[in-house]
């Protein structure tokens, strides 16, 4: 470990010592070491021909429901085929420990995967929704659709878009004419208001905000560390690459979530 890295971790530990309320803000980088690519890194395969901005929209879902559904389904199966890493697990343990001391570790994530939950942590706010719950695209009725796990062949294939086996989205059982979609926030859609309110409450009452694996450019999520800081929280950022937040963070740790979180918890 480089010396400046060691110093940063030591400084972060000082802020965390005795902290009763920790807000953890996570982005795609939190899941990278589990094998789920961040947008920036995902320049191959499924992302080569279409950017998420083109495909993950309500318009695309309405124009080409089978393509968008099959693409989302494939992402969901990939997510289910990987495991949470040590960083996810540590957050689960840390959360239980703080709760026993009447404190809190509130997780606010931009990720639509379920790796925090599978690391035995509760997520306070899924700002961009979740890939594993569904509703009707037309009438909004919640759906109890359950995702099928992928066969090893389907997973190994990691197909490109033009090789996807197209499946139609299942029909809604309530209105009969709509089809179902996952409860994720598509480009151009509003964030769930309750999740954003919960996130704001959590960061404003936090002693420390840990900002992990997010590029800090997607709004309004990027405003949360600023709100935390304005309310008096210390900001610790974990990201191998600098972001617009790094300079203003109280401590910036230039390493990965999987390396740093276990070090901070120790
Ligand atoms: P992003 O892809 O824009 O940025 C990811 C950040 O993580 C980068 O700053 C990168 O330097 C950092 N990073 C990469 N590897 C890391 C590691 N091992 N440890 C720590 N940091 C690491 O992602 P974003 O800021 O979360 O926002 C973009 C959008 O992408 C979000 O809306 C999110 O919903 C969506 N997204 C979600 C997933 C997922 O659910 N797992 C995956 C890809 C994209
Ligand atoms: Zn319906």
């Amino acid at each position: 470990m480089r010396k400046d890295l060691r110093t940063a971790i030591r400084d972060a530990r000082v802020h965390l010592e005795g902290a009763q309320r920790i807000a953890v803000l996570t982005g795609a980088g939190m899941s990278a070491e589990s094998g789920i690519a961040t947008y920036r890194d995902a320049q191959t395969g499924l992302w080569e021909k279409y950017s998420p901005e083109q495909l993950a929209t309500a318009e695309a879902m309405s124009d080409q429901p089978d393509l968008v559904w099959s693409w989302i389904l494939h992402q969901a199966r990939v997510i289910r085929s990987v495991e949470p890493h040590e960083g996810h697990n540590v957050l689960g343990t840390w959360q239980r420990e703080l709760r026993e001391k009447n404190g809190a570790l509130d997780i606010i994530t931009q990720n639509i995967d379920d790796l925090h939950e599978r690391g035995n942590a509760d997520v306070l706010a899924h700002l961009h929704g979740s890939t594993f719950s569904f509703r009707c695209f037309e009438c909004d009725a919640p759906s109890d659709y359950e995702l099928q796990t992928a066969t090893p062949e389907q997973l190994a294939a990691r197909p490109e878009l033009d090789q996807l086996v197209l499946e139609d989205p299942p029909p809604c059982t309530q209105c009969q004419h709509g089809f179902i979609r996952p409860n994720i926030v598509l480009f151009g859609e509003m964030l769930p208001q309750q999740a954003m309110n919960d996130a704001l409450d959590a960061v404003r009452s936090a002693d420390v905000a840990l900002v992990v694996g997010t590029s800090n450019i997607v709004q309004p999520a990027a405003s949360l560390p600023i709100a935390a800081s304005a309310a008096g929280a210390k900001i610790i950022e974990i990201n191998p690459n600098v972001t617009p937040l790094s300079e203003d963070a109280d401590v910036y740790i230039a390493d990965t979530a999987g390396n740093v979180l276990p070090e901070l918890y120790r």
Side-chain angles (χ1 to χ4, degrees):
M1 197 177 282
R2 290 201 316 274
K3 182 156 176 284
D4 51 349
L5 197 54
R6 228 181 278 145
T7 309
I9 287 184
R10 195 194 56 211
D11 292 349
R13 281 210 192 121
V14 171
H15 291 311
L16 287 163
E17 205 166 327
Q20 271 285 100
R21 305 192 70 88
I22 302 174
V24 184
L25 304 161
T26 67
M30 180 74 211
S31 301
E33 287 154 286
S34 286
I36 301 180
T38 63
Y39 280 169
R40 204 174 308 247
D41 296 335
Q43 297 304 328
T44 55
L46 281 178
W47 309 93
E48 230 164 37
K49 271 183 77 172
Y50 295 87
S51 69
E53 287 88 343
Q54 281 175 294
L55 219 48
T57 66
E59 207 178 18
M61 200 173 270
S62 148
D63 290 349
Q64 294 174 281
D66 55 349
L67 175 63
V68 177
W69 172 255
S70 306
W71 173 70
I72 289 170
L73 209 56
H74 182 76
Q75 301 298 325
R77 287 168 173 163
V78 168
I79 293 169
R80 279 284 158 89
S81 74
V82 305
E83 296 297 328
H85 60 69
E86 200 41 37
H88 293 107
N89 296 332
V90 155
L91 290 179
T93 309
W94 205 342
Q95 186 178 65
R96 283 190 296 283
E97 200 176 288
L98 275 173
R99 282 177 179 171
E100 279 164 19
K101 299 179 190 159
N102 292 318
L105 184 142
D106 291 321
I107 299 176
I108 298 150
T109 188
Q110 295 172 68
N111 295 341
I112 55 175
D113 63 48
D114 60 352
L115 292 173
H116 283 303
E117 287 90 344
R118 286 198 276 136
N120 289 317
D122 296 325
V123 172
L124 175 77
H126 266 283
L127 294 176
H128 295 166
S130 161
T131 310
F132 301 98
S133 76
F134 301 88
R135 69 173 189 271
C136 178
F137 186 67
E138 295 295 330
C139 76
D140 263 356
S143 160
D144 56 7
Y145 174 80
E146 293 228 1
L147 196 88
Q148 305 292 309
T149 45
T151 63
E153 293 75 29
Q154 282 170 323
L155 285 170
R158 294 218 172 203
E160 305 206 1
L161 271 183
D162 49 11
Q163 296 161 357
L164 271 186
V165 180
L166 294 187
E167 292 177 42
D168 285 326
C172 169
T173 52
Q174 297 296 311
C175 70
Q176 313 296 342
H177 66 268
F179 52 83
I180 68 163
R181 57 164 285 180
N183 280 322
I184 55 177
V185 179
L186 300 171
F187 283 93
E189 291 183 332
M190 299 278 289
L191 263 63
Q193 194 57 50
Q194 186 64 46
M196 197 59 199
N197 290 347
D198 290 347
L200 272 171
D201 285 347
V203 298
R204 287 182 180 140
S205 66
D207 303 309
V208 176
L210 276 178
V211 186
V212 189
T214 167
S215 52
N216 288 301
I217 42 182
V218 182
Q219 288 295 359
S223 67
L224 290 170
I226 296 161
S229 177
K234 295 292 180 195
I235 309 296
I236 300 171
E237 183 185 33
I238 303 171
N239 195 318
N241 303 300
V242 292
T243 75
L245 178 71
S246 309
E247 209 176 271
D248 297 327
D250 292 282
V251 183
Y252 165 63
I253 308 174
D255 200 352
T256 68
N259 286 342
V260 177
L261 287 169
E263 287 285 325
L264 293 186
Y265 171 68
R266 232 192 261 159

